Amino acid sequence: MFLSDFRKDFFDVIVNQRVALLVASDIDALCACKILQALFHCDHVQYTLIPVSGWQDLETAFLEHKEQFKYFVLINCGANVDLLETLQPEDDSIFFICDTHRPVDVINVYNDSQIKLLIKQDDDLGVPSYDDIFRDDEDDDEEGNEDDSGNESDDGQEPSGKRRKFEGEAVERRIERRRERREWEARRKEILFDYEQYEYHGTSSAIIMFELAWVMSKDSKDMLWWAIVGLTDQWVQDKITNIKYVTDVATLQRHVSRHSHSNEDEENLLSIDCLRISFEFDLRLALYQHWSLYESICNSSYTSSYFKIWSIHGQKKLQEFLADMGLPLKQVKQKFNSMDISIKENLREVIEESSNKFGMKDIRIQTFSVHFGFKNKFLAADIVYAAGALLENTEKEDSKTDNFIKALDCLSRSNLDKLHDGIEKAKKKLIAIQQTVASCICTNLIISQGPFLYCYLMEGSPDVKMFSRPMSLSLLSKCLLKAFICSTKNKRCRLLPLIMAAPLDLEKGTVIVVGIPPESESSDKKNFFGRAFEKAAESTSSRTLHDHFDMSIIELKTEDRSKFLDALITLLS
Amino acid sequence: MDPSEVEFLAEKEMVTIIPNFSLDKVYLIGGELGPFNPGLPVDVPLWLAINLKQRQKCRIVPPEWMDVEKLEVIREQERKEDTFTPIPSPYYMELTKLLLNHASDNIPKADEIRTLVKDTWDTRIAKLRLSADSFVSQQEVHAKLDNLTLMEINTIGTFFTDSLNNLFKIRANLQPRGESTMSQEY
């Protein structure tokens, strides 16, 4: 059921209990977890933090901890599947789910006792009404009873003519009821199919946790910053529409002005060490303040796909662009902090003007930046990239839990060295993505299969190990789709979605497959690949593992790849 | 004494806070605290104030003397005089450090206050060193220093007494050697 008063029905319930916190592995979940941890620290709530990366992890963690805990809080996992059926909990376990995955499973919505959803009810949900889906089974029994009682009461008392008439009527009624029931079931199937067909994402969990803190008057600037990072993660991974992003930015902007006006005025300046958050209308270049401007333009998917940087023509266009702005190459290739101040002053406006000339209309995006100490200034997107790189780090053989803890740590202000480490790893990741995109486009690895585009990363490609992680592979596929749309001449192909596969584990012989919706200006980011993959796997009995919380990311045995794809093509065309 | 022990003693000082929760009077071994009402200032020991601030349950009001003009006056006075001037709180250094580390958003012009207190501290420690130096070189037996705080005394306390002990041992050894040289000459 949906909770209306988060404070009364959620926080006050768990404040005196021991809680198990199950957190999914994405940045939005990490930020929500940080905010919740801070709230727990304020009120001395005992909790256990368990990172989970998929449904199997969730089940194992639940089995391990179900003896000790009665209350479970799930962040960014658990809403889109029938949780009670998957976990089989005891009757007194209570689950609080704060999840951005939609659609919310109808059983989770209509269960009143054990599942409490920390989701705002007006959040664009479209849940079918109760009567359309559930129907008491008493009607069947009544039907049976009526017939029996009808027969019994008629037994031997009435003349046979009347009895036959009674029986005739009873039979008619039964047939009528059965027909109604069949119609109702068909309608129900249709409604459920429409409801569950497309996957999308709702309001960021970090924002929901922040609003809970605000209602309790315990919100601080740190929490506000984490909420901002959570929202920016949804935007970087293309999970929400532009309109939703702008709306949520406006909500957070109100909180930012509230926090900055209450503390600072002309006479009473704040200490330089305090956290300052400010709204920025800044450039869409990844990590540009921690890199050189040239590298950032070459490695951000927006600019690199517009310029087609992988071609010689594209390089020339880039040089033209820089020359048009009057920026000398030597300056632009230097570290951003060492660029001439005269150039840095009007940089944003200059770049916006020139990019409008070259056809890039949205080079600037509404976002926030944080500033503390004398030299620490970060944009929200920088933190998202850094934490993402730490979370999916494949360089050392650390366990997933270690990476999770490192990424969680880099979000605090006191762990700046981890944050800088994350930024360096993020730079490597972005460069790897661009190189892979360039090689895929130049070697025409993207094939149109009819209803969708398909690309497979060969085993020997450089950095292929990095793309065995779901988030990195999704980011790569989005960049690849953007680049493909800019480079292909086939108008029809531009409207197709993309399926990307990369080798996951060479010993077990599995690949990881990701499906993303087609790219368009006003796309609603709804992804139908989740259900499509399920159906295709069923029909070909391929060995698949639908382990990830996003239904559109699955693991597949390499041998079953071709028949799986054929099934998909037939299904979708 | 360890500096952390001195800080522990300093945490008994009372500061004013403005809580955002309500609680009846609390009876502790050292005395009673409260009652706490949201929005009404109440005096509590520093250790409780810092704990409540970390749990975001209160706002700390800076002590009266933690003000830029007052600290400037004190600093100038300290620089003019040769002896130690009286200072507003016997634990000024610890209070400044704890309050500025945990509650700098409640204290206006926190950076300037930090600099002023550090300047005053440096001047006083310099005077202390000078006085210790003259004590040793002029082999004085008795010295009286007013207006020193426990933290300042603690910076040279152990070292000073240990080195004076060693000096005494060395000087005591000088006497008999004088006699033995005479016997050798003989």
Side-chain angles (χ1 to χ4, degrees):
Chain A
M1 63 180 260
F2 290 106
L3 290 181
S4 46
D5 185 347
F6 289 172
R7 176 188 195 166
K8 203 165 50 115
D9 299 325
F10 165 56
F11 204 76
D12 288 343
V13 168
I14 59 171
V15 79
N16 292 320
Q17 311 283 344
R18 291 182 58 212
V19 182
L21 201 57
L22 296 153
V23 182
S25 300
D26 66 89
I27 310 296
D28 184 29
L30 258 69
C31 294
C33 168
K34 270 288 213 215
I35 298 179
L36 199 55
Q37 277 183 315
L39 287 175
F40 284 167
H41 285 160
C42 284
D43 281 308
H44 296 313
V45 176
Q46 291 179 312
Y47 67 96
T48 305
L49 174 64
I50 309 163
V52 292
S53 54
W55 294 111
Q56 286 183 342
D57 258 356
L58 183 61
E59 281 173 47
T60 337
F62 178 72
L63 284 173
E64 264 178 66
H65 292 98
K66 70 175 181 184
E67 312 292 317
Q68 307 156 18
F69 293 99
K70 210 174 87 150
Y71 292 95
F72 293 85
V73 179
L74 275 70
I75 301 191
N76 269 5
C77 50
N80 48 353
V81 147
D82 185 359
L83 202 61
L84 295 178
E85 169 124 6
T86 330
L87 295 181
Q88 304 281 336
E90 312 289 322
D91 283 334
D92 57 353
S93 304
I94 302 206
F95 296 90
F96 293 98
I97 306 182
C98 182
D99 194 348
T100 58
H101 290 105
R102 307 276 183 273
V104 185
D105 192 280
V106 288
I107 311 243
N108 289 344
V109 173
Y110 289 117
N111 178 308
D112 280 334
S113 54
Q114 287 186 277
I115 308 248
K116 319 266 180 196
L117 295 167
L118 289 168
I119 298 175
K120 286 191 277 204
Q121 230 169 320
D122 53 356
D123 198 7
D124 182 35
L125 290 172
V127 182
S129 69
Y130 185 78
D131 296 321
D132 282 343
I133 321 175
F134 298 106
R135 178 179 160 133
D136 295 329
D137 281 336
E138 292 169 21
D139 286 352
D140 276 344
D141 293 337
E142 267 179 38
E143 202 182 290
N145 280 343
E146 255 187 51
D147 289 5
D148 282 41
S149 59
N151 284 341
E152 278 167 27
S153 60
D154 291 348
D155 211 356
Q157 299 281 325
E158 317 288 333
S160 24
K162 233 183 172 177
R163 190 170 160 187
R164 241 175 274 135
K165 201 169 117 190
F166 249 138
E167 273 187 23
E169 278 183 17
V171 166
E172 264 181 43
R173 259 182 278 143
R174 235 185 304 156
I175 294 180
E176 171 85 27
R177 225 170 272 129
R178 255 188 231 142
R179 192 168 50 87
E180 244 181 57
R181 190 179 172 76
R182 266 199 295 267
E183 268 179 23
W184 180 85
E185 293 218 329
R187 224 185 14 240
R188 170 181 189 267
K189 243 181 156 177
E190 208 186 296
I191 292 179
L192 273 181
F193 179 74
D194 283 336
Y195 178 62
E196 292 175 355
Q197 189 186 26
Y198 288 100
E199 262 197 309
Y200 57 104
H201 286 266
T203 315
S204 147
S205 315
I207 293 187
I208 295 192
M209 287 297 165
F210 177 74
E211 301 204 329
L212 170 66
W214 178 45
V215 159
M216 298 198 293
S217 300
K218 292 212 167 106
D219 58 326
S220 67
K221 281 192 188 163
D222 282 303
M223 293 187 196
L224 177 56
W225 178 244
W226 289 324
I228 291 173
V229 174
L231 173 65
T232 314
D233 169 60
Q234 284 197 316
W235 175 73
V236 163
Q237 295 203 25
D238 231 10
K239 286 184 177 169
I240 54 175
T241 58
N242 271 335
I243 304 176
K244 182 144 179 60
Y245 176 69
V246 171
T247 325
D248 286 341
V249 161
T251 323
L252 288 176
Q253 157 76 328
R254 282 196 286 273
H255 289 289
V256 167
S257 18
R258 179 173 57 93
H259 273 273
S260 38
H261 284 169
S262 59
N263 283 338
E264 210 166 317
D265 54 1
E266 281 308 318
E267 285 118 31
N268 297 335
L269 289 172
L270 266 190
S271 159
I272 196 78
D273 284 331
C274 288
L275 196 76
R276 282 179 175 80
I277 305 179
S278 49
F279 176 78
E280 308 261 351
F281 192 39
D282 213 339
L283 300 169
R284 209 196 266 221
L285 300 172
L287 297 175
Y288 79 96
Q289 288 174 354
H290 305 274
W291 219 348
S292 69
L293 195 58
Y294 186 75
E295 293 270 348
S296 182
I297 295 182
C298 289
N299 289 315
S300 308
S301 66
Y302 186 72
T303 42
S304 78
S305 35
Y306 259 108
F307 284 131
K308 302 200 251 294
I309 295 250
W310 52 85
S311 64
I312 309 223
H313 175 70
Q315 297 275 351
K316 280 208 203 123
K317 221 167 152 198
L318 174 62
Q319 312 278 15
E320 247 183 72
F321 177 67
L322 293 172
D324 183 70
M325 291 193 286
L327 298 176
L329 257 184
K330 211 172 81 154
Q331 286 292 327
V332 155
K333 288 197 180 174
Q334 263 201 53
K335 264 189 76 143
F336 188 78
N337 287 333
S338 334
M339 264 171 75
D340 265 352
I341 302 224
S342 52
I343 301 185
K344 274 201 273 191
E345 259 168 22
N346 286 334
L347 190 64
R348 287 186 221 164
E349 285 81 19
V350 163
I351 291 193
E352 188 174 14
E353 249 185 75
S354 295
S355 39
N356 277 334
K357 267 194 245 168
F358 278 75
M360 296 187 282
K361 300 277 180 223
D362 297 315
I363 192 97
R364 283 173 85 167
I365 189 83
Q366 297 180 350
T367 184
F368 296 91
S369 77
V370 75
H371 184 196
F372 52 92
F374 283 105
K375 60 174 179 165
N376 300 312
K377 183 165 191 294
F378 298 100
L379 286 175
D382 300 343
I383 310 278
V384 168
Y385 284 120
L390 282 175
L391 190 59
E392 301 206 323
N393 184 19
T394 50
E395 278 175 28
K396 291 190 272 192
E397 289 302 317
D398 287 333
S399 74
K400 284 194 186 157
T401 320
D402 285 337
N403 287 340
F404 182 91
I405 300 290
K406 275 203 197 115
L408 199 63
D409 282 341
C410 91
L411 290 173
S412 331
R413 260 197 287 161
S414 45
N415 292 323
L416 280 176
D417 50 341
K418 290 209 175 107
L419 185 60
H420 285 295
D421 184 36
I423 290 184
E424 295 305 310
K425 293 200 167 79
K427 288 182 194 170
K428 285 194 208 150
K429 192 160 122 171
L430 286 170
I431 294 180
I433 289 182
Q434 280 311 310
Q435 285 175 344
T436 318
V437 163
S439 72
C440 285
I441 303 266
C442 292
T443 55
N444 286 328
L445 268 180
I446 309 182
I447 333 170
S448 163
Q449 297 281 18
F452 56 83
L453 301 164
Y454 173 70
C455 178
Y456 178 63
L457 275 185
M458 298 296 185
E459 267 99 48
S461 343
D463 304 314
V464 75
K465 197 153 172 278
M466 195 186 283
F467 299 120
S468 62
R469 295 295 163 92
M471 243 168 57
S472 313
L473 191 59
S474 313
L475 213 56
L476 172 65
S477 6
K478 292 191 169 73
C479 293
L480 194 54
L481 188 58
K482 272 199 198 119
F484 180 73
I485 289 177
C486 290
S487 67
T488 182
K489 296 203 180 46
N490 188 336
K491 285 237 162 80
R492 203 185 69 85
C493 280
R494 292 192 193 164
L495 303 169
L496 293 178
L498 171 67
I499 293 187
M500 184 112 193
L504 175 63
D505 192 329
L506 287 172
E507 294 154 1
K508 293 194 214 148
T510 50
V511 294
I512 175 171
V513 183
V514 164
I516 59 173
E519 172 84 23
S520 74
E521 285 293 317
S522 57
S523 96
D524 54 3
K525 317 279 179 203
K526 292 203 180 184
N527 195 337
F528 55 78
F529 279 115
R531 302 288 157 195
F533 284 167
E534 266 179 24
K535 288 215 184 85
E538 256 180 64
S539 63
T540 58
S541 54
S542 319
R543 292 158 286 178
T544 55
L545 188 61
H546 297 262
D547 191 41
H548 203 256
F549 296 122
D550 275 328
M551 294 301 201
S552 54
I553 302 180
I554 64 166
E555 289 174 26
L556 175 66
K557 282 272 187 194
T558 326
E559 298 95 36
D560 297 335
R561 206 164 29 108
S562 29
K563 61 178 179 175
F564 182 76
L565 277 174
D566 290 332
L568 267 180
I569 297 176
T570 27
L571 193 64
L572 293 172
S573 39
Chain B
M1 261 185 139
D2 201 38
S4 46
E5 289 173 1
V6 182
E7 190 185 61
F8 182 70
L9 290 174
E11 285 179 343
K12 272 172 42 174
E13 289 290 298
M14 303 298 267
V15 291
T16 316
I17 62 162
I18 301 182
N20 62 18
F21 61 100
S22 61
L23 191 61
D24 289 330
K25 260 193 182 179
V26 179
Y27 298 96
L28 303 175
I29 292 179
E32 54 184 38
L33 297 173
F36 297 91
N37 290 309
L40 296 179
V42 62
D43 281 338
V44 294
L46 184 62
W47 56 269
L48 184 61
I50 299 284
N51 183 285
L52 288 176
K53 176 76 187 159
Q54 284 174 328
R55 289 161 63 190
Q56 293 181 19
K57 285 185 162 7
C58 75
R59 193 165 68 84
I60 297 193
V61 174
E64 265 186 349
W65 52 267
M66 204 177 271
D67 173 63
V68 174
E69 283 104 23
K70 294 204 183 115
L71 286 174
E72 272 179 357
V73 163
I74 292 176
R75 183 184 62 168
E76 292 314 307
Q77 227 185 354
E78 194 69 49
R79 283 180 177 168
K80 275 196 315 215
E81 309 267 326
D82 278 342
T83 56
F84 298 95
T85 59
I87 36 159
S89 162
Y91 294 105
Y92 73 100
M93 194 61 190
E94 300 89 304
L95 272 176
T96 315
K97 174 175 164 287
L98 284 170
L99 287 179
L100 289 179
N101 278 349
H102 295 284
S104 60
D105 48 339
N106 292 147
I107 299 175
K109 301 197 185 159
D111 294 334
E112 288 186 35
I113 289 179
R114 206 190 293 255
T115 324
L116 287 168
V117 169
K118 184 87 179 34
D119 285 342
T120 316
W121 167 268
D122 285 339
T123 320
R124 291 169 72 92
I125 293 289
K127 283 188 205 168
L128 187 60
R129 252 184 263 134
L130 212 62
S131 140
D133 190 44
S134 69
F135 181 80
V136 168
S137 54
Q138 293 165 22
Q139 294 187 33
E140 301 197 10
V141 177
H142 169 257
K144 177 168 182 260
L145 299 163
D146 293 328
N147 299 324
L148 266 185
T149 64
L150 185 57
M151 196 62 144
E152 288 152 0
I153 297 173
N154 193 48
T155 51
I156 63 162
T158 334
F159 171 71
F160 197 49
T161 43
D162 278 348
S163 50
L164 283 178
N165 278 340
N166 283 333
L167 268 171
F168 173 73
K169 275 193 214 146
I170 294 174
R171 286 210 187 108
N173 280 336
L174 281 177
Q175 304 330 65
R177 202 170 298 151
E179 286 161 7
S180 64
T181 47
M182 275 168 58
S183 63
Q184 276 184 8
E185 271 179 29
Y186 167 81

